[in-house]
Amino acid sequence: SDLQDVLVHAAKRLATRYANVPATERPASLAPMLEDALFVTVTNVNFDTTSILGMIREVVAAAGAPAAGVAVEAPEDTLLAWARESMIAPRKATLGEDITGLQELLLYGLKGMAAYAHHARQMNRADPVVDAFMVEALAKLDAGVATVDELLALNLKCGEVTINVLALLDAAHGDTYGKPTPTPVLMGHVPGKAILVSGHDMVDLKALLEQTEGKGINIYTHGEMLPAHGYPELKKFKHLVGHFGGAWMLQQRELPHFPGAILMTTNCLMQPFEDYEGRLFTRNLVAWPGIAHIEDRDFSAVIEAALAAPGFTDSVKTGEHMVGFGHDAVLGAADKIIGAVKAGEIKHFAVIGGCDGSEGERSYYTDLGTTIPNDWVILTLGCGKYRLLGHDYGTVAGLPRLLDMGQCNDCFSAVKVALALADA
């Protein structure tokens, strides 16, 4: 955690170096490097000291100057000592809670922006507005002197620019894998060798599906990969057979019972247990000490591990879940929906989604989903949807009342649907 603070600081220093350089003259490596540095520090991504130290040295070298005690050759102890001086508590004592809080809020917004921009860049999509704002905001955080009004304005601008990121990623997914269509997904498993894919990266999933085709290995999604089943270019692979397990926070309880290889493409990784750590592989920026890491989308090691594992010997179906209700699918039925609204059959739309916390006793969203009136439609996305699964919400106006719009990064779909319905 302390080293992640150092990495963020190094990213700020790098942004400062290029803040006054015209965008057309900045190195092509700048935006991806800033994105990766911030994404690494998101919850449950990278726990590997060696990996993070390597990134710190890479970013500091690119910044071209020692960064307040952070030099390329600085030993780990020096880096950790610097980190302790830069924590939130000392800043609150110096700057006050409002300034410190707005600095942190902006940083968290930038981390989310970086994660989604990273995903889009995997599909060769980038937005110069997003790249420029990341440099601007990190450099202003690095300067450290700002008023509440200035920081509030930066936070609001971060929200605006994040819509660009969401639109970029939405278009990239749709253009690359086809527009999501309503699709039933097997919740359970079938006999055969197996690989479980978790995280968010559709590019990795597509590459794995191509490399496993015809090898007698079934592919299962996990966590936030569940919406993958709605994309035409992914669901055409017949060995993408179903979904295993629940939300990310259940992985330590569930993964020991998966009899195959496990691939973590992005967050959310928790400390692996001995039961499955030998069958676990990480990709992209995800890392855990001692866990095999896959480079360049060569999944041969994952395939070998799956073939060596016993696989499933029985069939289990705990249910079926419909995915694929992105904005294209929902607005494709706009006339029907608007007609139902005008006729009084649909009274309200509720969005219940986002990233969920780990506390198992949380039941508010479950209770809300099961008790709101039957003339409400529920839009859900992200791993928050797992608080709603397993209940039959029925239909309204001939449509399912629960519409799964995708991953957390698909909240753009909910925005588009809300705006379109408001216009109507």
Side-chain angles (χ1 to χ4, degrees), residues 157-379:
K157 186 175 178 182
C158 186
E160 292 175 7
V161 177
T162 296
I163 296 295
N164 289 44
V165 178
L166 294 170
L168 184 72
L169 189 55
D170 175 76
H173 278 145
D175 293 346
T176 308
Y177 305 113
K179 307 296 185 186
T181 57
T183 305
V185 182
L186 166 71
M187 309 298 278
H189 60 259
V190 297
K193 303 291 185 178
I195 296 175
L196 188 66
V197 186
S198 193
H200 303 74
D201 198 301
M202 300 297 177
V203 183
D204 278 356
L205 176 59
K206 174 79 179 299
L208 180 67
L209 287 166
E210 292 171 340
Q211 293 176 36
T212 51
E213 197 165 22
K215 287 185 163 58
I217 301 174
N218 292 319
I219 307 299
Y220 296 84
T221 53
H222 174 264
E224 286 263 50
M225 290 300 284
L226 172 58
H229 295 267
Y231 288 101
E233 288 300 308
L234 298 177
K235 67 180 181 180
K236 71 181 184 182
F237 290 93
K238 301 305 180 189
H239 61 302
L240 180 62
V241 298
H243 185 84
F244 178 91
W248 66 272
M249 75 285 292
L250 302 177
Q251 62 189 263
Q252 292 171 324
R253 184 192 316 168
E254 294 175 342
L255 297 191
H257 304 291
F258 185 81
I262 303 159
L263 176 66
M264 188 67 66
T265 66
T266 59
N267 55 315
C268 301
L269 173 67
M270 297 174 72
Q271 179 172 358
F273 284 179
E274 289 183 13
D275 312 59
Y276 60 91
E277 63 180 6
R279 298 179 281 114
L280 178 65
F281 299 83
T282 57
R283 257 290 292 156
N284 291 306
L285 301 173
V286 190
W288 188 280
I291 297 299
H293 190 76
I294 303 297
E295 301 288 351
D296 303 322
R297 296 197 177 92
D298 175 5
F299 295 115
S300 52
V302 182
I303 293 169
E304 289 173 14
L307 293 173
F312 289 107
T313 57
D314 61 347
S315 291
V316 170
K317 181 177 180 179
T318 58
E320 212 171 57
H321 177 64
M322 289 289 289
V323 299
F325 291 100
H327 58 86
D328 291 288
V330 175
L331 295 179
D335 290 346
K336 191 174 185 179
I337 293 172
I338 292 164
V341 171
K342 289 179 177 177
E345 296 177 69
I346 296 177
K347 293 286 178 60
H348 201 87
F349 293 86
V351 179
I352 303 177
C355 294
D356 196 10
S358 60
E359 290 79 2
E361 69 275 10
R362 288 183 177 179
S363 67
Y364 174 79
Y365 294 114
T366 305
D367 297 341
L368 184 65
T370 55
T371 57
I372 60 178
N374 289 332
D375 52 12
W376 287 32
V377 173
I378 304 169
L379 309 178

